[in-house]
Amino acid sequence: MEITKEKQTPKKSFKRSLIVFVGNVLGIYLIAFLGLGVKVSQFDDVILFVLFVSLVNAILWPILTRIAMPFLVFTFGFGTLILNGVLLQFFAPLFGIEIIGNAIILAPIAMAAVTTILSALITIEDDSSYYRSVLRDAKKKRKKEIKDYPGVIILEIDGLSYDVLCEAVEAGHMPTVKEMIGSNDYNLRMWETDLSSQTGASQAGILHGNNEGIVAFRWIEKGNGNQMMQCSGISKVPELEQRISDGNGLLVDNGASRSNLFSGDTDNVIFTFSKILDFKKLYNKAWYSVFSNPNNFARIVALFLADIILEIWSQIVHVIKNIRPRIKRGIAYIPTRAVTNVFMREINTSTLIGDMMIGEIDVAYSTYLGYDEIAHHSGVRDNDAWYALRGMDKQIKHLIDANRYCPRDYQFVIQSDHGQTNGATFTQRQGETFEEFVKSLLPKDMKMFAKMTSKEDHLAGAPFSRDNNKLKNEKKEDEELGDSEVIVLASGNLAMIYLTQWSQRLTYEEINEYFPDLVPGIIDNEYTGFILVKSQKNGDMAIGKNGTYFLDSGKIEGENPLEGFGENIVRHLKRTSSFEHVPDILVNSFYDKEADEVCAYEELVGSHGGVGGSQSKPFILYPSTWNVGDEEIIGAENIYKLLKENLAELKN
């Protein structure tokens, strides 16, 4: 799968045009048949109407979308359904057709849904009509001089480990990626995350070259009034980016950020959480490619609704088959999955295609969230997870196909930020939550604050997350934190205990003096792998049930508690222990190598955040012409260096 050298023009496809025409006719007729607001006297009228509207759209749609672009953007695309529906309603009476009420929205969705179903049944994946519409607008936005060096599109598949990628490729779920790996044009490598194997730490390292101080998904800053900092929250992430950024992020030089946690120091952003409060940055001209075709957004909505149905069916199947481990996903998760797995996926791909066809950006970084969200709730290797990866593979194919029509070449990097490891949760195994367990080891009158979920990290950057209530909730949490004497947090199978009556990190000896049952109780729990504490006498120590690893000296007393957690675990623990806001006690669950399971402290089937299994083993697939050494790639900051150096080399 080599980079396209000879640029082409999207050809008109009679088959595709016929499918769209038939789908539109059947879609309108379906709404009429169901009595949902469309009244048709004769079937022939629908055929003539669709032919006429197709002609009108070809002439008027580019003009209308250009005029209405701010409205379409600020309604996150749903304005296109209204605009398309109004056009249908305006011209329908000329053909004896009446469109009223909800049919203004339902008719465009039905037309796109039937077209999508027909395309799937007849296995037509021809997107030439969409490429033509995007290319038409892109040519008007291009600068006269085309850059003579290639750009780079970096696609992150959130949460996909190297091992699971290889399984998906071998099983035929990702044919496009398989072709890339099998060619001589790309190299596949596994890399290793830092101890905090989660998106916040990884994207900080990848996009800004700095994840120093990021202990986990969230942590407590004792010296800052027990403030809780986290890799989520509409006020926290912008503050976190200010801390880690030196102004030389991965995307600072003519880059674009799509659906990321951090910006990489670019202002060309869409759904980038660190800049989500800057309303001016919401209006990005890259949105034009989402609306360039009147059917495109309606197709996205149809796929969104289909994913909702699939999730409902999946929940039923998991119960009937009694699939274990299993968590209660609930009603709220149903649209959450559809937003991450379909809506944001399709927006990412459409805007990237637009960026490529204009040809101005030098590098884009885009996160695809669907697999990570689904693996959390269904399982790392569940059928739902494979379904998400098949959809992701199609996006990669769309982008590679679009490269044929771009004015300059674009190279592709496919990578992940971390993996996931399966396993029943602590609550399922223990019969009580981890915070309840910790509370039982402390004096009964101690005030505790606990937050044991990181599931909100994905939708935190979604379009409808800009809610004043979130700011109020953050302020309320800050008040509760200030009154607490012990704070317990979770990040996958990593848990943190802060004893906040003291402003400094307590030593191992002090903890045992003040709370003699705490450390022994945690260590003796059958689901604990090891804890990290700092001894006044011996320095950093990792303690397990049957032994202690003295990290500073390398001495092991008894059995090695870090056995099975990777060759670099000591390095990771010592780095984390050097951070300013490391907890008094850091707890990592056991890892069962034979079953390939960890024990998450939050209610997730697939989890990440600590160490154990594939959660620390993501991948990177990069052009074989790049200069990448043979040494291990350890830590997200080294992925930043790898990308930054090769981006600079392309310009030379």
Side-chain angles (χ1 to χ4, degrees), residues 221-247:
E221 302 187 343
K222 283 189 175 184
N224 196 11
N226 289 337
Q227 173 185 254
M228 183 169 68
M229 181 55 70
Q230 59 188 32
C231 302
S232 181
I234 57 179
S235 64
K236 303 295 186 183
V237 175
E239 180 183 346
L240 187 53
E241 180 166 306
Q242 288 180 352
R243 295 185 184 185
I244 63 174
S245 173
D246 64 357

Side-chain angles (χ1 to χ4, degrees), residues 413-630:
V413 175
I414 318 296
Q415 65 182 46
S416 57
D417 54 343
H418 55 77
Q420 286 197 31
T421 309
N422 248 40
T425 69
F426 181 89
T427 302
Q428 291 171 336
R429 297 173 190 265
Q430 179 80 5
E432 64 180 341
T433 64
F434 185 72
E435 62 267 32
E436 289 171 339
F437 168 67
V438 171
K439 196 172 184 64
S440 70
L441 303 173
L442 295 168
K444 293 181 179 180
D445 59 347
M446 285 192 73
K447 296 178 182 178
M448 174 181 285
F449 175 91
K451 195 152 189 178
M452 307 299 289
T453 175
S454 60
K455 290 187 285 188
E456 69 271 22
D457 59 338
H458 287 161
L459 276 194
F464 38 79
S465 68
R466 299 167 51 86
D467 188 344
N468 288 332
N469 287 331
K470 292 185 180 293
L471 284 171
K472 293 178 182 178
N473 290 337
E474 286 184 17
K475 291 180 180 179
K476 185 179 179 181
E477 271 188 357
D478 289 341
E479 293 175 1
E480 293 178 6
L481 286 164
D483 294 334
S484 299
E485 297 171 309
V486 57
I487 298 173
V488 182
L489 306 174
S491 182
N493 72 316
L494 193 72
M496 288 139 286
I497 301 171
Y498 291 87
L499 300 161
T500 53
Q501 292 170 291
W502 294 266
S503 59
Q504 79 281 5
R505 180 185 180 187
L506 292 183
T507 65
Y508 172 65
E509 292 82 3
E510 289 172 328
I511 296 171
N512 284 334
E513 179 184 350
Y514 301 138
F515 308 104
D517 297 331
L518 185 57
V519 168
I522 294 172
I523 294 172
D524 289 342
N525 185 277
E526 61 180 310
Y527 307 119
T528 298
F530 63 85
I531 68 168
L532 172 67
V533 290
K534 192 172 191 68
S535 166
Q536 186 175 2
K537 178 182 178 182
N538 298 304
D540 293 325
M541 300 191 306
I543 307 175
K545 291 177 181 58
N546 301 309
T548 300
Y549 198 125
F550 299 93
L551 302 179
D552 293 348
S553 65
K555 178 184 174 183
I556 300 173
E557 189 176 274
E559 296 179 8
N560 182 3
L562 302 180
E563 184 71 33
F565 288 99
E567 295 179 0
N568 300 302
I569 183 60
V570 172
R571 167 181 172 176
H572 292 311
L573 288 173
K574 290 181 71 172
R575 180 175 187 259
T576 294
S577 191
S578 71
F579 292 166
E580 182 179 358
H581 303 297
V582 67
D584 298 296
I585 305 173
L586 186 146
V587 186
N588 198 94
S589 84
F590 77 92
Y591 170 60
D592 184 335
K593 186 174 182 180
E594 187 174 334
D596 191 25
E597 285 189 350
V598 294
C599 172
Y601 295 110
E602 48 186 331
E603 291 304 292
L604 298 174
V605 177
S607 68
H608 57 89
V611 287
S614 297
Q615 61 182 307
S616 304
K617 301 173 183 177
F619 71 92
I620 180 169
L621 180 66
Y622 58 89
S624 56
T625 55
W626 281 23
N627 183 22
V628 179
D630 294 329

Side-chain angles (χ1 to χ4, degrees), residues 244-309:
I244 63 174
S245 173
D246 64 357
N248 189 35
L250 184 68
L251 308 178
V252 67
D253 190 5
N254 203 25
S257 170
R258 305 287 179 257
S259 297
N260 301 316
L261 197 60
F262 301 110
S263 71
D265 290 324
T266 181
D267 284 332
N268 185 347
V269 297
I270 291 179
F271 296 159
T272 297
F273 202 38
S274 64
K275 298 190 175 181
I276 203 76
L277 285 176
D278 191 340
F279 203 65
K280 294 179 182 178
K281 291 183 173 62
L282 177 63
Y283 182 69
N284 187 316
K285 291 182 179 179
W287 278 95
Y288 84 92
S289 55
V290 180
F291 314 130
S292 59
N293 185 304
N295 295 321
N296 189 45
F297 192 80
R299 181 187 64 84
I300 294 174
V301 174
L303 291 172
F304 175 90
L305 295 174
D307 205 69
I308 284 178
I309 295 171

Side-chain angles (χ1 to χ4, degrees), residues 44-109:
D44 292 349
D45 294 336
V46 178
I47 296 175
L48 293 174
F49 175 53
V50 170
L51 284 171
F52 178 78
V53 169
S54 299
L55 180 62
V56 169
N57 275 334
I59 299 171
L60 291 182
W61 190 259
I63 301 172
L64 290 173
T65 51
R66 194 168 291 114
I67 295 171
M69 183 62 72
F71 169 68
L72 302 181
V73 170
F74 292 128
T75 58
F76 299 103
F78 288 93
T80 59
L81 299 178
I82 299 173
L83 184 60
N84 203 359
V86 168
L87 279 176
L88 294 174
Q89 187 182 49
F90 182 79
F91 291 111
L94 299 177
F95 298 87
I97 299 172
E98 187 178 0
I99 299 178
I100 58 174
N102 293 333
I104 292 178
I105 301 295
L106 294 177
I109 295 175

Side-chain angles (χ1 to χ4, degrees), residues 286-465:
W287 278 95
Y288 84 92
S289 55
V290 180
F291 314 130
S292 59
N293 185 304
N295 295 321
N296 189 45
F297 192 80
R299 181 187 64 84
I300 294 174
V301 174
L303 291 172
F304 175 90
L305 295 174
D307 205 69
I308 284 178
I309 295 171
L310 287 173
E311 170 55 24
I312 294 171
W313 175 246
S314 171
Q315 291 193 22
I316 295 171
V317 169
H318 277 68
V319 171
I320 292 174
K321 291 186 175 181
N322 194 28
I323 293 175
R324 299 287 180 176
R326 184 176 77 247
I327 60 171
K328 184 178 180 180
R329 300 186 222 170
I331 296 175
Y333 170 67
I334 296 172
T336 299
R337 162 179 159 161
V339 167
T340 56
N341 191 47
V342 173
F343 183 85
M344 297 182 77
R345 177 193 75 188
E346 297 292 326
I347 297 297
N348 285 357
T349 302
S350 291
T351 54
L352 287 173
I353 288 174
D355 290 330
M356 292 167 62
M357 295 238 182
I358 294 173
E360 178 59 25
I361 65 164
D362 289 336
V363 56
Y365 194 101
S366 181
T367 302
Y368 288 80
L369 304 168
Y371 171 80
D372 188 69
E373 185 69 40
I374 288 174
H376 274 319
H377 293 83
S378 295
V380 173
R381 294 173 175 84
D382 188 79
N383 287 333
D384 291 348
W386 300 134
Y387 167 76
L389 291 179
R390 288 195 293 271
M392 181 67 240
D393 190 79
K394 289 180 181 178
Q395 307 308 306
I396 297 171
K397 184 178 188 303
H398 291 329
L399 289 161
I400 291 175
D401 288 346
N403 202 31
R404 293 178 293 182
Y405 314 122
C406 302
R408 63 190 286 207
D409 287 326
Y410 276 94
Q411 297 183 355
F412 294 92
V413 175
I414 318 296
Q415 65 182 46
S416 57
D417 54 343
H418 55 77
Q420 286 197 31
T421 309
N422 248 40
T425 69
F426 181 89
T427 302
Q428 291 171 336
R429 297 173 190 265
Q430 179 80 5
E432 64 180 341
T433 64
F434 185 72
E435 62 267 32
E436 289 171 339
F437 168 67
V438 171
K439 196 172 184 64
S440 70
L441 303 173
L442 295 168
K444 293 181 179 180
D445 59 347
M446 285 192 73
K447 296 178 182 178
M448 174 181 285
F449 175 91
K451 195 152 189 178
M452 307 299 289
T453 175
S454 60
K455 290 187 285 188
E456 69 271 22
D457 59 338
H458 287 161
L459 276 194
F464 38 79
S465 68

